[in-house]
Amino acid sequence: MLRTRFTETFGVEHPIVQGGMMWVGRAELAAAVSEAGGLGIITALTQPTPEDLLKEIEKARELTDKPFGVNVTILPSINPPPYQEYMQAIIESGVKIVETAGSNPEPFLPYYKAAGIKVLHKCTSVRHALKAQKIGVDGVSIDGFECAGHPGEDDVPGLILIPAATKALDIPVIASGGIADARGLVAALALGADGVNMGTRFMCTQESAIHQTVKEQIVANSERATQLIFRTLHNTARVADNEISRKVVEIEKAGGTFEDVRELVAGARGRRVFEEGDLNAGIWSAGQVQGLIDDIPTCADLVSRMVSEAEEIIRGLSRLSAISTPG
C-alpha cells in the first residue's frame, strides 16, 4: 500500500488522480478510476448546466461508492459560465472533493470549506502554489511543462518543478505532467510529491468516453507529437499535433492575433474530435507522455499495474541500497 499525505488527507486508497479534462471527465471514467482506488474527477463544465452536473454526479454514485471529485476550471470568457451555480450544485450534491484550476479559487473557498469539501488546486509554478496554500487549499497539483493543456509561461519541466514545489510547501503536492506508469509514480514520490495526476494516460483507457480513433492515435504517437499554441499570446497550451494545431502555430509565427485563429481553436471543434474521431476537426489536448503510452487498458488494470509495479520498483531500490551499503 502506497500511503501518503494525499491518500490520508483526501481519503483515497492509492496516490493516483485522474485530472479533470474538458469533454473527457465524465461519470463513467471518474467512477472507474475511483472504483480502482484512485481519485476520479468529473469535469463540471463538460455538463451544459448545473442541473446536468447533478445528474452526472448521481450517475457516478450509481457506479461507485468510493470518493470522487469535481473539477471546476475558472477561465476568462466573453460569456462566463455561472460558476456560482455550479459551485452550489457541487455543494448540494454532497461531493467532498473539488479540483480547482485556472483563476484564483479564493472567492469560492469559504463556501467549500463550510460544506466540508477538500480543495485540490492546479498550479504551474511554485509562486502560484504558495499563494494557493496561503488562501487555504488542502493540496496542490503542480503541472510541469510536459503536461497537456496549459503549462503556464515559465517552461519549467517536472524534474525541476516538483522538488521545488515540495520543498516550498507544507500541504500535499500532486505531480502532474509526463506521468503514465509506475516509473513516473515512483519518480514523483522520490521527488517529494504525495501522488500523481494523469490526464492523457486516463484518456487512453477503456472507460474514457472519447472516440476509439483518438485513443489509438495516442498509442501511435511519440513524445514529439504535440504543438504549443498561443505562445505569442502568452497563454500557452500544449495540444496534439495535427493539421489544425500546425496551422495555428504558423498563423501565430506570421504575426496573427487571436481573432485570426479563433475559429480554428473553437471548443466545439475540439469536442468533435473526441465524439466523432475526426483527428483534424479541431485542436485537442494531449501531453508529451503520449510517447510512453502503448495500450488501452481498463482503469482497474492500469491503476493495479501501476501500484504493484511501483511497489516492486521501490523494493528493488531498497535492495540496491542494501547492496551499496557495506555489511
Side-chain angles (χ1 to χ4, degrees), residues 111-246:
Y111 301 96
Y112 289 137
K113 293 292 185 179
I117 294 172
K118 300 286 188 184
V119 176
L120 181 68
H121 185 62
K122 296 188 75 172
C123 308
T124 60
S125 70
V126 175
R127 64 185 185 279
H128 292 149
L130 283 168
K131 177 63 181 297
Q133 175 177 268
K134 183 177 180 180
I135 65 175
V137 303
D138 300 282
V140 296
S141 177
I142 196 84
D143 282 3
F145 186 56
E146 308 92 331
C147 73
H150 294 276
E153 302 303 311
D154 295 336
D155 297 0
V156 180
L159 196 59
I160 304 299
L161 187 59
I162 297 165
T166 59
K167 180 180 179 180
L169 295 165
D170 299 317
I171 56 178
V173 175
I174 299 300
S176 180
I179 299 164
D181 55 26
R183 296 169 299 175
L185 172 56
V186 174
L189 296 175
L191 292 171
D194 300 282
V196 297
N197 175 300
M198 301 192 301
T200 306
R201 173 68 273 196
F202 277 122
M203 283 172 59
C204 201
T205 57
Q206 291 185 26
E207 292 88 352
S208 168
I210 67 175
H211 199 281
Q212 182 70 14
T213 300
V214 180
K215 299 177 189 181
E216 292 173 357
Q217 189 62 48
I218 291 172
V219 170
N221 280 347
S222 76
E223 66 278 5
R224 299 178 65 246
T226 67
Q227 292 284 342
L228 292 170
I229 63 173
F230 303 157
R231 293 291 269 176
T232 61
L233 306 177
H234 306 292
N235 188 29
T236 302
R238 187 181 297 280
V239 298
D241 177 56
N242 67 1
E243 293 176 6
I244 303 299
S245 61
R246 289 192 294 272

Side-chain angles (χ1 to χ4, degrees), residues 270-288:
R271 184 175 184 176
R272 281 182 52 206
V273 175
F274 290 145
E275 293 183 350
E276 301 172 15
D278 180 350
L279 297 171
N280 290 301
I283 60 168
W284 51 284
S285 291
Q288 291 181 309

